[in-house]
Amino acid sequence: MPGMSGLQLLQELRGAKTIVPTIVITAYDEPATRAQCLAAGASAYLRKPLDERLLLNAISATVNRTPKETDR
């Protein structure tokens, strides 16, 4: 992403108290970055090459965890 990393975006959103369900997909898998992304609110952290089953499972888990507009 030009100008900002996914982690920086997550941190900005968290700082603005904006809740956006986020799945991080990266080719640069680093344990420290994974921990930081999850701590910043990422629903999942997936590595490339992407396993479609893992992505679908992450989407399903994220959708099921995300409060619906009517639940607020």
Side-chain angles (χ1 to χ4, degrees):
M1 183 168 32
M4 182 181 287
S5 72
L7 176 57
Q8 289 169 324
L9 175 60
L10 281 170
Q11 291 168 334
E12 288 288 324
L13 291 169
R14 186 175 186 191
K17 307 255 188 278
T18 302
I19 300 170
V20 178
T22 306
I23 297 170
V24 175
I25 301 172
T26 184
Y28 305 103
D29 186 27
E30 296 291 331
T33 303
R34 175 187 179 91
Q36 289 173 320
C37 286
L38 295 174
S43 302
Y45 184 93
L46 304 176
R47 293 185 320 244
K48 293 179 185 177
L50 195 57
D51 180 324
E52 292 175 9
R53 290 172 297 145
L54 291 177
L55 177 58
L56 291 174
N57 289 341
I59 292 169
S60 179
T62 299
V63 168
N64 289 330
R65 260 196 315 258
T66 304
K68 309 295 184 275
E69 195 64 35
T70 57
D71 294 343
R72 295 180 188 182

